[in-house]
Amino acid sequence: MDLFHLILAVLPFIVFSLLLIFHHKASLLKISLITLVVNTIIAIIFWQTSILTISSSTIKGFFIALDIFFIIFGAIFFLEILKSNKTIDNLSLYLDHFSPDFRIQVVILAWFFECFLEGIAGFGTPCIVVAPLLVALGISPLKAIVISLLGNSTSVPFGAVGTPIRVGFAGINVDLLSVGSLSSIYNFVGILVPVFMIWVLVSSEKNRKSLFLKSLPFAIWSGIAFVFPSFLVSLFGIEFPAILGSVLGLILIMFTSHFGFLVPDQLYKSSKKITEKINLTLFQTIFPYLLFIILLIISKIFLSPIKIQIPYISHSISLFNPGFVFVFSGIIMAIILKINLKNLISIVVMALKKSIEPFLVVAAMSTVVQIMNNSSNPALNLPSITKTISYLFDTKLLPFIAPFVGAFGSFITGSATVSDIMFGNPIYSSSISQNLNPIKILSLLVVGAGAGNMIAIADVLAAKTIAGGNDSLRKIVFNLFPYCLTYLIIVGILGILI
């Protein structure tokens, strides 16, 4: 592959990055559309991609983004219904009764609960559910978004019942159980995630050093409480490490916290003044979330296999979408709470308005990816733009690079599974040509993709839309970037050593 085409292949992402970093007044939608135009021009002129291919890629990008639209719309609808009887406020009050320490509350929600939600659903559901709960605890929207996105990382390789490995590497000649087991070993880096969360939480306090150091043993213990059970479960299958790891870890943490084991001796309480009293029973408070989780599991079991095939574009729509579950759960709660039709319609309209811009951004970036994937031209002996980029991976440094490749895929597509589909085969081929263990390289790829979910555009947009606040996507990503980079560097070093 000549250098000229290689530079052209990465040019759209250079344009995107430069605009995101330096053009502060440009909206993400504008940046995404400019990137799409640049990518389309390159594909048409230099790869001679047909208009038909461009059109089908655009349609496929639209349908991929439609999944995200339903999730964001459904989450807003569901949460607005819960606000009507102060369910979220009551949940924060019950958490305060379990432990008055703010740091413990945050770890329970953003680490264990998010890992559980990722295990059963994926699709960015964890941060969408948890971010508004953190705001209800009294955390600023920016910190709530950052903390919730940090939590949507370590469990991702085993998210949605193992989808990133099972679907992402489908058709590649490797033992997926071995990929899962090795991934769970590299996932021990996730011990740092609760540490990151607590630092973000206390970083603006005057006595932040003391608050952080006092809670460091608890944070590390919380990390171990998830990653070690998750590793043990991964030895028997790729479907349940995130689900069982989070459940077992939470039980362990609640048990040890009850006896004061590693609980910070310096109490840290929310600055939010609690003036309200509990007006719902514990069952009434958690019922909407139990309803959502039960319906999510049922729909995952019965609706996942049912797909609607879209003709001409090689794309299918699964009837399983957390957004549909959000909407159905919201409707049930609206009936129970006797919300009148006028208020219900106003909630629907507001949810639609908030969902449109994130949908358009994801549609633009999804179309960029689809054009890249479909741009190969055998007549000119040109591989696709995606394949062209993959020539950068053909190096002995692949164990260090692989996590960054996975993270990059998640960043632009918003999905670890799609990242694995994009780069799985090329990076597998590179590992064979470099005489490297393909199981190891694929494990590093998927763990990196999980870390990349911290800064995935679609997830950041979704969390920002749900949690509110006036902070730009640029500011959110820049806040998350040091943690994501640290995570990836450590995984890359482990990839070289192990």
Side-chain angles (χ1 to χ4, degrees):
M1 174 52 58
D2 62 277
L3 182 61
F4 177 67
H5 279 90
L6 187 59
I7 293 171
L8 287 173
V10 299
L11 184 59
F13 298 115
I14 294 174
V15 170
F16 179 88
S17 300
L18 291 176
L19 289 174
L20 187 65
I21 295 170
F22 297 110
H23 200 334
H24 291 183
K25 292 184 179 180
S27 67
L28 184 61
L29 178 57
K30 182 178 180 180
I31 294 172
S32 301
L33 291 173
I34 291 172
T35 305
L36 174 59
V37 170
V38 171
N39 185 66
T40 303
I41 291 171
I42 288 172
I44 292 174
I45 295 177
F46 298 100
W47 265 261
Q48 295 186 21
T49 306
S50 69
I51 299 299
L52 181 62
T53 299
I54 298 294
S55 300
S56 62
S57 298
T58 303
I59 295 170
K60 188 169 182 177
F62 169 84
F63 279 108
I64 290 171
L66 203 58
D67 268 342
I68 305 298
F69 171 81
F70 287 137
I71 292 170
I72 295 175
F73 169 79
I76 295 171
F77 176 78
F78 178 67
L79 292 171
E80 287 299 318
I81 295 293
L82 297 192
K83 284 180 183 179
S84 64
N85 75 331
K86 299 186 177 180
T87 298
I88 297 174
D89 292 332
N90 275 266
L91 183 60
S92 66
L93 293 172
Y94 275 110
L95 271 174
D96 194 63
H97 279 211
F98 167 73
S99 171
D101 196 295
F102 209 16
R103 294 160 295 188
I104 294 176
Q105 295 172 15
V106 167
V107 168
I108 288 173
L109 285 175
W111 181 235
F112 293 106
F113 189 39
E114 279 202 44
C115 288
F116 174 76
L117 288 175
E118 176 62 29
I120 62 174
F123 291 93
T125 306
C127 52
I128 290 175
V129 172
V130 171
L133 292 175
L134 296 178
V135 172
L137 289 177
I139 302 175
S140 70
L142 176 60
K143 284 187 177 182
I145 294 166
V146 170
I147 291 171
S148 67
L149 286 163
L150 285 172
N152 194 28
S153 54
T154 306
S155 56
V156 168
F158 302 102
V161 203
T163 297
I165 295 175
R166 180 167 39 84
V167 176
F169 298 143
I172 299 178
N173 187 28
V174 291
D175 177 23
L176 296 184
L177 180 61
S178 297
V179 172
S181 299
L182 191 52
S183 297
S184 67
I185 292 176
Y186 293 127
N187 248 1
F188 269 76
V189 178
I191 290 171
L192 292 175
V193 173
V195 176
F196 294 157
M197 289 176 177
I198 290 178
W199 174 249
V200 171
L201 180 65
V202 304
S203 58
S204 57
E205 303 289 350
K206 289 182 179 179
N207 58 335
R208 56 184 173 272
K209 185 177 179 181
S210 173
L211 288 171
F212 175 70
L213 292 177
K214 290 282 187 179
S215 59
L216 189 57
F218 174 79
I220 294 172
W221 173 230
S222 297
I224 294 171
F226 170 73
V227 297
F228 186 69
S230 178
F231 162 69
L232 294 178
V233 176
S234 74
L235 299 175
F236 302 96
I238 60 174
E239 290 81 11
F240 299 108
I243 298 172
L244 294 181
S246 58
V247 172
L248 293 172
L250 180 58
I251 292 171
L252 184 60
I253 285 295
M254 293 182 76
F255 178 76
T256 56
S257 295
H258 179 72
F259 292 100
F261 179 69
L262 297 181
V263 172
D265 56 16
Q266 180 184 8
L267 186 64
Y268 176 48
K269 297 201 72 170
S270 169
S271 58
K272 179 182 178 182
K273 292 183 180 180
I274 301 175
T275 56
E276 299 180 13
K277 294 183 178 180
I278 294 173
N279 62 353
L280 297 174
T281 65
L282 180 59
F283 178 75
Q284 287 174 321
T285 302
I286 65 173
F287 174 75
Y289 295 100
L290 288 175
L291 174 68
F292 171 73
I293 291 169
I294 291 168
L295 291 177
L296 199 63
I297 294 171
I298 292 171
S299 61
K300 179 71 179 176
I301 294 170
F302 293 103
L303 297 182
S304 284
I306 305 174
K307 301 183 185 299
I308 301 173
Q309 192 67 39
I310 307 297
Y312 310 117
I313 62 168
S314 302
H315 183 70
S316 59
I317 299 175
S318 173
L319 289 186
F320 171 71
N321 184 305
F324 300 150
V325 182
F326 274 127
V327 171
F328 191 47
S329 302
I331 291 172
I332 292 174
M333 290 307 303
I335 294 171
I336 292 173
L337 298 174
K338 298 179 181 179
I339 297 175
N340 63 53
L341 185 60
K342 183 180 178 181
N343 288 340
L344 201 60
I345 291 173
S346 67
I347 290 173
V348 170
V349 171
M350 184 192 66
L352 282 170
K353 287 180 179 178
K354 285 188 174 183
S355 306
I356 289 173
E357 185 171 344
F359 162 71
L360 292 175
V361 171
V362 176
M365 293 308 296
S366 296
T367 302
V368 168
V369 172
Q370 293 308 312
I371 292 173
M372 286 184 159
N373 290 346
N374 301 325
S375 57
S376 62
N377 191 330
L380 298 177
N381 198 29
L382 285 173
S384 69
I385 296 175
T386 303
K387 179 66 175 176
T388 301
I389 294 173
S390 73
Y391 285 109
L392 294 170
F393 314 153
D394 208 5
T395 168
K396 288 291 185 182
L397 290 174
L398 190 55
F400 184 80
I401 293 172
F404 290 87
V405 175
F408 175 71
S410 291
F411 170 67
I412 61 172
T413 67
S415 167
T417 302
V418 177
S419 176
D420 291 346
I421 292 170
M422 277 181 65
F423 295 119
N425 272 302
I427 215 164
Y428 170 80
S429 300
S430 296
S431 68
I432 297 296
S433 68
Q434 293 294 327
N435 293 317
L436 295 168
N437 180 357
I439 290 175
K440 171 181 176 176
I441 300 303
L442 291 175
S443 299
L444 291 164
L445 180 74
V446 71
V447 171
N453 257 36
M454 294 181 191
I455 56 172
I457 294 171
D459 289 352
V460 174
L461 276 171
K464 179 182 182 299
T465 305
I466 303 301
N470 299 318
D471 300 290
S472 67
L473 179 136
R474 182 183 292 103
K475 185 174 182 178
I476 296 168
V477 171
F478 285 177
N479 270 269
L480 284 159
F481 186 74
Y483 305 108
C484 182
L485 183 61
T486 302
Y487 197 109
L488 291 170
I489 290 173
I490 296 173
V491 173
I493 292 172
L494 288 176
I496 293 173
L497 297 177
I498 301 178

